[in-house]
Amino acid sequence: MAGKYKNKAFTLRIDETLMERLKKIADEEERTVNKQIEYILRRWVEKHDAV
């Protein structure tokens, strides 16, 4: 079906300086900013669940 995504969309307001830092890190790790944020969140949740 057109317009259907497996993942949910979420609007995020983020400080410009932090966004620039995320872009740089994502580029270094060969990810998009979106995938970098998802990666960071996934690692944080996994760490939280391990406690």
Side-chain angles (χ1 to χ4, degrees):
M1 290 185 137
K4 296 288 183 177
Y5 291 94
K6 176 183 164 190
N7 297 326
K8 299 291 183 185
F10 180 79
T11 301
L12 176 66
R13 291 182 183 96
I14 191 165
D15 177 77
E16 185 177 348
T17 303
L18 179 56
M19 185 62 161
E20 289 303 316
R21 291 174 70 193
L22 280 169
K23 285 179 184 179
K24 183 178 178 186
I25 294 167
D27 186 53
E28 290 170 359
E29 298 194 7
E30 300 181 359
R31 291 188 182 98
T32 64
V33 172
N34 187 67
K35 287 295 183 182
Q36 186 68 29
I37 292 170
E38 186 177 355
Y39 172 77
I40 291 166
L41 288 171
R42 189 177 311 279
R43 289 191 61 202
W44 182 83
V45 169
E46 288 170 357
K47 183 178 177 181
H48 180 270
D49 287 347
V51 173

